[in-house]
Amino acid sequence: MGNWPRSEELYRRARNSLAAGVSSNVRLLAKPLPLFFERADGAMIYDADGNGYIDYVLGQGPLLLGHSHPNVLAAVEQAMGRGQLFAGQHKLEITVAEELVKLIPCAELCRFSLSGSEVVQAAIRLARAATGRTKFLRFEGHYHGWFDNVLISVAPPLEKLGPRQCPNVAPSSQGQAHSTLSECAVLPWNDLTLVEELFSKEGSDIAAIITEPMMCNNGAIKPAPGFLQGLRKLCDEYGALLIMDEVITGFRLGLKGAQGRFGVTPDLATFGKAMAGGFPNAALVGKAVYMRLFEEGVNHSGTFNSNVISMAATAAALEQLQSDEAAIYGHLESIGTSLMAGIREIAQRTGVPLLVTGLPTAFHLSFTDVEKIEDYRGLISNCDQKRYERFAVGMLERGVRLLERGIWYVSTAHTDTHVEKTLETVEEVLREA
Ligand SMILES: Cc1ncc(COP(=O)(O)O)c(C=O)c1O
């Protein structure tokens, strides 16, 4: 195989001691193989074979400030010198919670965990406790972590989806508890009429709607005009909670999250990834009336929750993002906009049928003739995913690292020079394919 003899060797070795050679199944999707990396700095990442790449994977989204941001590293180093884990309270927790309360529209109170998957579970538990109901509604193609009750209809093949009006509740892993499947309803995203129909029949049994506010896990698809507002209205009408899963969109779409950007305030929201500058941290935030249930019998725990390192990194990342909000987000938007526009222009010039969707800080490319995609069904029935994977390998061979599922993340460390080199590479690969 191509340029990665050292990675190949390490991967072979890894398979003897690490199950499947990786620590997250998502990494098995990497083509042509899960590469081994040695260091990363700013917008660049370097593999074990000494190849450098402009990185649009960015740790699957967290590295909004780029790799190894000096202020984040300095804050961690300084805080770590005083201890790492107290199994008790420390001031940085309050500092970060106060920042989230100040910034995020729905955040009146916060709780911290280490991963997005955990805070999603806490949100669902809270919604059930608040309403006395069990069922929740989720949408096809959205990802809310890897636990049994939510790893449902995330990326099923077309033939497993079932009818559009009444989709299958499709588990996504062997060994998944089927007992949880009846606890959720699944619908295509962005179709308010279908949600209204469901609520007119079952609304009084539904504890919550959970939604990515922009469908980033499949296609970077924006909410249709009025869709999120419609979900908000239905939840209010039927006494259900609206949970926005902002694990990707949080801080990436702006300091107020997607809820600020789209102007719809949920009851609860989950944050992770970009919040902590590349360190593990996640937050459940929400309205006090619900969050107070943690004092009244709802359990949320975790040995490593709000450890010193995670909180120091988060405090530093949030401080950095707020240090010059207009310049920082202006730069992110400008880099993403140049990439999106440049790719569209190259596709047009080379006659390649490419669709670029999403927003500048998180956008998606697919090979398709259609001009608009609104949901997961539209994505998988119209897009040539295998062609995208070949394209991503072509980019990797030439020094640009992309996620194989089509989403591109940008960071504050990307520059116009990175954009220029990336666009040249896009053109080269498209002309060859
Ligand atoms: C929207 C969303 N929610 C939840 C999660 C789970 O987060 P984690 O991988 O930190 O458990 C992810 C992970 O990609 C995600 O994209």
Side-chain angles (χ1 to χ4, degrees), residues 115-117 143-145 212 217 245 247-248 273:
S115 67
S117 297
Y143 179 69
H144 303 296
E212 290 184 52
N217 276 290
D245 184 348
V247 167
I248 292 180
K273 299 204 189 244

Side-chain angles (χ1 to χ4, degrees), residues 270-330:
T270 53
F271 286 77
K273 299 204 189 244
M275 183 176 90
F279 285 81
N281 204 3
L284 170 65
V285 305
K287 296 185 179 161
V289 60
Y290 305 122
M291 297 292 286
R292 288 226 167 86
L293 295 174
F294 287 127
E295 292 175 40
E296 294 164 21
V298 177
N299 186 289
H300 158 252
S301 307
T303 302
F304 292 102
N305 291 0
S306 69
N307 66 81
V308 173
I309 298 162
S310 298
M311 300 319 281
T314 308
L318 295 183
E319 190 181 330
Q320 182 61 27
L321 287 171
Q322 292 176 81
S323 62
D324 191 347
E325 182 187 353
I328 287 172
Y329 282 94

Side-chain angles (χ1 to χ4, degrees), residues 6-60:
R6 185 86 185 112
S7 269
E8 281 176 59
E9 185 191 319
L10 286 167
Y11 187 43
R12 260 196 308 274
R13 183 173 142 204
R15 292 175 67 87
N16 293 326
S17 54
L18 269 172
V22 295
S23 296
S24 165
N25 269 46
V26 175
R27 293 176 202 159
L28 287 175
L29 302 175
K31 303 269 181 322
L33 78 161
L35 292 185
F36 283 74
F37 294 95
E38 287 195 339
R39 67 192 172 89
D41 185 22
M44 297 297 295
I45 189 164
Y46 301 88
D47 71 14
D49 288 283
N51 303 305
Y53 307 92
I54 304 172
D55 192 15
Y56 295 100
V57 174
L58 296 176
Q60 294 271 1

